[in-house]
Amino acid sequence: MLFSVITINRNNADGLRKTIASVLSQDFSQYEYIVIDGASTDDSVQVAEDNAGSISAFVSEPDKGIYDAMNKGIRMAHGDYVIFMNSGDTFADCRILSRVAATAPAADFLIGGMRQRREGRRYTAVEMPATVTAYALLYRNFCHQATFARRQVLLELDGYDLSVKVAADACLLMLAAIVYRKTFATLPFCICDYDVTGMSSHCIDVVTAEKHDYFRRIAPNVYPDYVYAHRWLRLLPSNVLRVARLRITTLLSRF
C-alpha cells in the first residue's frame, strides 16, 4: 500500500518546517510526499529545498486558493490513499501510517480522531463516532488532516468544489456519501494535531452555512428532515455532554 501525504503551504515557513519533520518521522516507508506551495514570499521555498531529498514532488506557483492547491496535489499523487497534512499540522505520532496500513483498509474514506492545537498547546481531543452517517457529516466536523481518502475516488468526484470557499473538504465527504454512496470507516485512534489557527477555524459560522447550503443542493428532498431531526437529536445526553466538554476545554485553553 502506498500513501500520498500532501502538504499545502503559503507563507508559513515555520509551520511547513514542523509538518515536514512530522511526515519524515513516520516509521512506515511506503509513502510519497508532495508539497504544493502557493508562490510564497517568505522562506517556505528554501525550507522545501532544504528537504528536497525527502520530498517526492514540489511546486511553488500561484493558485486560486487552498482547495485549488489541494486539487493540484491530488492530480500529482500516485498513492492508494491520500491524506492532507497542511503546513502547521502534524501527525499525532510517528506510527500513524503504519497503524493505518495494518488495518488493511477497504473503505473509500478512513477517518480518525484529531487533537486541536493553538500556539503549540494541545487542548481538545475530538473522537469520531462509531459510524459515519449523513447526519454526522452535516452536524459534526471531520477534518482532512484526519481523513485518508482513496485517490481514485477523489479523482472520480473531480476533487474539491472551488465554489465552496472554506468547507469544500466537508462538502466533498457529503457528496461522496449521499450521491456516490462511497464507503466510510472510522479509525479508533488519533491521526493528527490540527492547528486551529488555520483558515476554517476562524470561520465556523461560514463553514456551517456552507455545509448546510451544500447539503440542501445535493439532497433537497431530505435536507428538511435532517434539520428537523437535529432539533431533537442535539438534546440527547451524549450530544449535550460532547458539546459541553468541547466548550469547556476550549475555554480553559485560553488561560
Side-chain angles (χ1 to χ4, degrees):
M1 174 181 294
L2 179 68
F3 293 105
S4 294
V5 183
I6 302 174
T7 294
I8 305 304
N9 174 78
R10 187 172 189 276
N11 289 334
N12 185 15
D14 289 340
L16 179 60
R17 189 176 291 108
K18 293 177 183 177
T19 302
I20 290 176
S22 175
V23 173
L24 299 188
S25 74
Q26 291 297 298
D27 65 358
F28 186 79
S29 62
Q30 298 302 305
Y31 72 89
E32 61 176 3
Y33 189 30
I34 299 169
V35 178
I36 308 295
D37 180 73
S40 292
T41 57
D42 65 354
D43 293 332
S44 294
V45 173
Q46 185 61 53
V47 170
E49 291 177 348
D50 289 344
N51 292 276
S54 302
I55 295 175
S56 308
F58 170 69
V59 63
S60 180
E61 61 188 19
D63 53 53
K64 299 176 183 177
I66 183 171
Y67 293 115
D68 183 37
M70 291 169 72
N71 285 342
K72 189 182 302 182
I74 293 169
R75 292 191 295 269
M76 294 174 64
H78 301 90
D80 300 293
Y81 284 90
V82 170
I83 184 168
F84 287 94
M85 198 63 59
N86 293 341
S87 59
D89 301 318
T90 58
F91 283 109
D93 60 58
C94 66
R95 300 173 296 118
I96 298 303
L97 295 183
S98 59
R99 292 182 71 182
V100 174
T103 67
D108 297 313
F109 294 89
L110 312 169
I111 304 178
M114 65 176 180
R115 291 189 300 240
Q116 296 176 326
R117 188 184 73 238
R118 179 186 289 116
E119 296 178 352
R121 295 177 58 189
R122 299 171 180 165
Y123 68 89
T124 303
V126 180
E127 298 179 354
M128 293 299 99
T131 57
V132 178
T133 64
Y135 175 81
L137 290 170
L138 180 59
Y139 285 105
R140 293 190 63 173
N141 292 323
F142 296 79
C143 71
H144 54 249
Q145 296 91 335
T147 301
F148 290 83
R150 200 182 295 276
R151 179 177 60 88
Q152 288 297 337
V153 171
L154 294 177
L155 292 172
E156 179 185 347
L157 272 58
D158 200 26
Y160 296 98
D161 187 338
L162 300 189
S163 71
V164 183
K165 300 306 180 184
V166 295
D169 49 345
C171 292
L172 181 140
L173 295 180
M174 288 193 288
L175 180 69
I178 297 169
V179 177
Y180 288 87
R181 301 177 66 182
K182 298 303 180 181
T183 55
F184 289 74
T186 57
L187 300 169
F189 50 89
C190 187
I191 299 297
C192 69
D193 287 336
Y194 166 49
D195 185 356
V196 298
T197 60
M199 176 182 68
S200 61
S201 300
H202 295 286
C203 315
I204 299 301
D205 292 341
V206 177
V207 170
T208 300
E210 286 189 345
K211 286 172 65 176
H212 278 262
D213 287 344
Y214 197 82
F215 195 106
R216 187 186 296 110
R217 188 200 315 173
I218 64 175
N221 294 328
V222 301
Y223 172 76
D225 297 323
Y226 280 87
V227 173
Y228 179 78
H230 183 62
R231 295 177 186 174
W232 303 102
L233 292 176
R234 66 190 177 91
L235 299 177
L236 289 174
S238 58
N239 280 336
V240 172
L241 289 173
R242 178 177 59 83
V243 172
R245 184 168 60 248
L246 286 172
R247 291 183 177 178
I248 289 171
T249 52
T250 300
L251 178 63
L252 292 175
S253 72
R254 298 174 181 173
F255 296 97

